[in-house]
Amino acid sequence: MKEKLLAFIDGLISYDYILFGASFILFILFIIFALLLRKKLIVALFFIFLGFATLVLGPTFGYIQMHKYIFKNSTKLLSQKKLNFVQAVVVKGTITNESKFDFGECKITAEVYKVTKNKYKNYLFKLKPFQKMSILEQNLPKGQMREFKIIIEPFRYQKDYNISLGASCK
């Protein structure tokens, strides 16, 4: 847990610090308004609730939406091939930088999950893939597309499966 928290803090950019600071300042302002209006209990409680909602929800949703916009990318699965003599699957795909910024690195992840005839089970299987493999792509300029290959090994699953691709860029 400590390593994940340190990795998260290490990955923060200046926009994140501005977002967190602005949320904290809004929290302080709403609490001050609540203290000033303490004679009107309903309004004061509303400002206290609004302050804590801003403190918790502002950074959470702001971080997610901001990173979707700043680090916008798309991945496309070109092919997947299960090898016969080696327990592996070769996945080929492309990643496209759709943001207005250059990416220093992108972590591309291929996830393998089971497939059944039950659509509800398929939804649950997508949430918990049984195998993952990731690679790093360096220096992806804005508007550029790059092909990549990921080898998922050891791959011993014999039934139906699907592969999904995702990327997290900085």
Side-chain angles (χ1 to χ4, degrees), residues 80 111-126 128-130 157-164:
Q80 64 184 26
E111 298 177 333
V112 184
Y113 55 92
K114 298 177 186 179
V115 177
T116 65
K117 293 179 181 178
N118 185 334
K119 66 179 180 179
Y120 301 111
K121 278 188 177 180
N122 286 341
Y123 179 74
L124 291 175
F125 287 147
K126 276 186 180 181
K128 183 85 171 139
F130 65 86
Y157 192 69
Q158 298 298 323
K159 298 178 183 174
D160 282 343
Y161 63 90
N162 274 344
I163 296 178
S164 66

Side-chain angles (χ1 to χ4, degrees), residues 3 11 16 37 55 70 94 96-97 104 112-113 121 126-127 132 136 151 161 164 167:
E3 293 145 3
D16 295 327
L37 298 170
L55 185 65
I70 292 176
T94 61
T96 306
N97 181 349
V112 184
Y113 55 92
K121 278 188 177 180
K126 276 186 180 181
L127 297 176
K132 290 182 185 181
L136 285 177
I151 300 173
Y161 63 90
S164 66

